[in-house]
Amino acid sequence: EKLKPISGAWMDRNKICLEGTRMSILKDISEWIYSSNEIAPQVLFLCGEAGTGKSTISHTIGYKHQDLLGAFFCFDRTLLTTRTPWNAMRTIAYHLAIKATEIGYQMLEALGAYPYILESYNVEDLWKSLIVQSSQAMTDLDQPMLIVIDALDESGAKEDVERENLLSLIVNGAHGLPKNFRVLVTSRPEYDVIEHLHIAKEAPNTKLLRIKYMDEIKGTQDDILLYVNTIMKQEIDSGKLTSNQCKSLAEKAAGFFLWAVVACKFIHGRRAGITVPERFKRVMNLKKGNTNDFRALDELYIYILKETFDVTDVDDMDRYKFIMSQVLAAFEPLSQNALQNLQPENSEKDTVNCVLSFLGSLFTGISKSDDAPVKPVHISVFDFLLNKECSKQFCLSQIQGHKQLATGAFKVMFKNLHFNMANLKNSHVLNSEIEDLDKKVSKQIAPEVSYACCFWDLHLQYISEPDPSWVPKLEQFFCLYSLYWMEVLSLKGRIHIASRAATFVIEFIENLQVFDILHTEIVLKYNSS
């Protein structure tokens, strides 16, 4: 419980391989896991470009070998505030402690001797103290213990020190684990990743590391064809498409599984005025690429956007950029309902829905319900929309999104914050003593309120230079709502955010060089909080 594992970083059944696909690589990885060879590598890096299917393989392996799975952590760039290297270490340690009793007891001893390790943001300290040392308590070394780390390239910016430390630890530090441990890592072949792998391969303990590249996997084209035929079965059975057309579509993917997924979703979707055969024909007219050429993915993405939005309609494009910039600026994926409630007071009720409802082939959560979190089907969509050279007139500004979400956060907090936010019967009882507190909190505190309380300060930080126009809102917030805000943070188990926000606000006001009495009072009140 002290380790505070990050929720949502576990396996996702929606990401597993289609039955009958990826059989060769799954067999290969399974044999590596079970290998009893003394010199078998403990770390397997699965490298490949975006959209080649790395994550589906890692999630499938996790589900296939649940009996051996000690820990699973999935990095996600759309959740950078929580999916951090140090939280990965804490979460992996927690999973291992739950999986193996002897590791759990050893970890408790370590925490008793060095309780402040949980406050550390040093990845190396966390790895050695919580994972390597505790794992030495393992007594059954014949049974494999699997750790899966998915999307390592999304653990932070390439220049981040902790990302570099994490890379170095996994590549070079796994030799500290017992011999039965296996660590499966997936990553895009970004420069820093490849550099660490090459250095490690040349080191004396090179036998402890194995690298597998996605473009080396055999049978990928057959797997894509099986996927296309399965997904488009309804269209084939109804005569809208033929088997040969589906074969052509699979060949068009040129090894990009993601291309096939997005194309099938688009063709399979519905829109007035265009039939399935017409959609198929238009997709087939797009540029053909290969697994080393992102232009094919970019062209598919931009085609879908052009089919959805009229680039000659100024209002249409303004609305698209207004809403989509917020989707990309959100620190946690927001549902359509939550996003709508963060819009300006004078917004129409379907502002969000009229933009997002047609983007189901590029974003998940849209077709499920208005309360499902909305996020890109793949991080390549995120990158594409922020790259003007690729997305052209559809390029988005995260700064615009941060401005609107900051404004929306204050609107939501001013409207909803009040005493006793969770409607508890007694305010003199510790949170830990309240039965079903999480259920009570989720029932009483709306997702957009929770989001606003957790991230308003981060959105302000990302709006380039300090803007004096925010000062009246900050004054109103601290004078009237700050105690209720901290109550929400406490109920959500995220009271540490108050310290982060305090530091930001003090710097914000100092940078504006505002020194009158009222502003000084805000700083003093915030420090005392």
Side-chain angles (χ1 to χ4, degrees), residues 41-42 171-176 199-210:
Q42 286 186 277
V171 172
N172 303 304
H175 64 272
I199 292 173
K201 288 294 287 184
E202 295 173 1
N205 62 344
T206 182
K207 64 179 183 296
L208 298 172
L209 174 67
R210 179 185 171 194

Coordinates of all heavy atoms in Angstrom, one line a residue, residues 41-42 171-176 199-210:
P41 N 19.9 -14.9 -22.1 CA 19.8 -13.4 -21.8 C 18.6 -13.1 -20.9 O 17.5 -13.7 -21.1 CB 19.6 -12.8 -23.2 CG 19.1 -13.8 -24.1 CD 19.7 -15.1 -23.6
Q42 N 18.8 -12.3 -20.0 CA 17.7 -12.0 -19.0 C 16.8 -10.8 -19.6 O 15.7 -10.6 -19.1 CB 18.2 -11.6 -17.7 CG 18.8 -12.8 -16.9 CD 19.2 -12.3 -15.5 OE1 20.3 -11.9 -15.3 NE2 18.3 -12.5 -14.5
V171 N 19.1 -2.0 -19.3 CA 20.1 -2.6 -20.2 C 21.2 -3.3 -19.5 O 21.7 -4.4 -19.8 CB 20.6 -1.6 -21.2 CG1 21.7 -2.2 -22.0 CG2 19.5 -1.2 -22.2
N172 N 21.7 -2.6 -18.4 CA 22.9 -3.1 -17.7 C 22.6 -3.6 -16.3 O 23.5 -4.3 -15.8 CB 23.9 -1.9 -17.6 CG 24.3 -1.3 -19.0 OD1 24.7 -2.1 -19.8 ND2 24.1 0.0 -19.1
G173 N 21.5 -3.2 -15.8 CA 21.2 -3.6 -14.4 C 20.5 -4.9 -14.1 O 20.4 -5.3 -13.0
A174 N 20.0 -5.5 -15.2 CA 19.2 -6.7 -15.0 C 20.1 -7.9 -14.5 O 19.5 -8.8 -13.9 CB 18.5 -7.1 -16.3
H175 N 21.4 -7.8 -14.6 CA 22.2 -8.8 -14.2 C 22.2 -8.9 -12.6 O 22.7 -9.9 -12.1 CB 23.7 -8.7 -14.6 CG 24.4 -7.4 -14.1 ND1 24.3 -6.2 -14.7 CD2 25.1 -7.2 -13.0 CE1 24.9 -5.3 -14.1 NE2 25.5 -5.9 -13.0
G176 N 21.7 -7.9 -12.0 CA 21.6 -8.0 -10.5 C 20.4 -8.8 -10.1 O 20.2 -9.1 -8.9
I199 N 26.0 -0.1 -27.0 CA 27.0 -0.1 -25.9 C 27.0 -1.4 -25.1 O 28.0 -2.0 -24.8 CB 26.9 1.1 -25.0 CG1 27.2 2.4 -25.8 CG2 27.8 1.0 -23.8 CD1 26.9 3.7 -25.1
A200 N 25.7 -1.7 -24.8 CA 25.5 -3.0 -23.9 C 26.0 -4.2 -24.7 O 26.5 -5.1 -24.1 CB 24.1 -3.1 -23.5
K201 N 25.7 -4.3 -26.0 CA 26.0 -5.4 -26.8 C 27.6 -5.6 -26.9 O 28.0 -6.8 -27.0 CB 25.5 -5.3 -28.2 CG 23.9 -5.5 -28.3 CD 23.5 -6.9 -27.9 CE 23.8 -7.9 -29.0 NZ 23.3 -9.3 -28.7
E202 N 28.3 -4.5 -26.7 CA 29.7 -4.6 -26.8 C 30.4 -4.9 -25.5 O 31.6 -5.1 -25.4 CB 30.3 -3.3 -27.4 CG 29.9 -3.1 -28.9 CD 30.3 -1.7 -29.4 OE1 30.9 -1.0 -28.6 OE2 29.9 -1.4 -30.6
A203 N 29.6 -4.8 -24.4 CA 30.1 -5.0 -23.1 C 30.4 -6.5 -22.8 O 29.8 -7.4 -23.4 CB 29.1 -4.4 -22.0
P204 N 31.2 -6.8 -21.7 CA 31.5 -8.2 -21.4 C 30.2 -9.0 -21.1 O 30.2 -10.2 -21.3 CB 32.4 -8.0 -20.2 CG 33.0 -6.7 -20.3 CD 31.9 -5.8 -20.9
N205 N 29.2 -8.4 -20.5 CA 28.0 -9.1 -20.1 C 26.9 -9.1 -21.2 O 25.7 -9.2 -20.9 CB 27.4 -8.6 -18.8 CG 26.9 -7.1 -18.9 OD1 27.3 -6.4 -19.9 ND2 26.1 -6.7 -18.0
T206 N 27.4 -9.0 -22.4 CA 26.5 -8.9 -23.6 C 25.5 -10.1 -23.7 O 24.5 -10.0 -24.2 CB 27.3 -8.8 -24.9 OG1 26.4 -8.7 -26.0 CG2 28.1 -10.1 -25.1
K207 N 25.9 -11.2 -23.1 CA 25.0 -12.4 -23.2 C 23.7 -12.2 -22.4 O 22.8 -13.0 -22.5 CB 25.8 -13.7 -22.6 CG 26.1 -13.6 -21.1 CD 26.8 -14.8 -20.7 CE 27.1 -14.8 -19.2 NZ 28.1 -13.7 -18.8
L208 N 23.7 -11.2 -21.5 CA 22.5 -10.9 -20.7 C 21.4 -10.1 -21.5 O 20.4 -9.9 -21.0 CB 22.9 -10.2 -19.5 CG 23.9 -10.9 -18.5 CD1 24.3 -10.0 -17.4 CD2 23.2 -12.2 -18.0
L209 N 21.8 -9.7 -22.7 CA 20.8 -8.9 -23.5 C 20.6 -9.4 -24.9 O 21.5 -9.9 -25.5 CB 21.4 -7.5 -23.6 CG 20.7 -6.5 -24.5 CD1 19.4 -6.1 -23.9 CD2 21.6 -5.2 -24.7
R210 N 19.3 -9.4 -25.3 CA 19.0 -9.8 -26.6 C 18.1 -8.8 -27.3 O 17.2 -8.2 -26.6 CB 18.2 -11.2 -26.6 CG 17.8 -11.7 -28.0 CD 16.9 -12.9 -27.8 NE 16.3 -13.3 -29.1 CZ 15.3 -14.2 -29.2 NH1 14.8 -14.8 -28.2 NH2 14.8 -14.4 -30.4

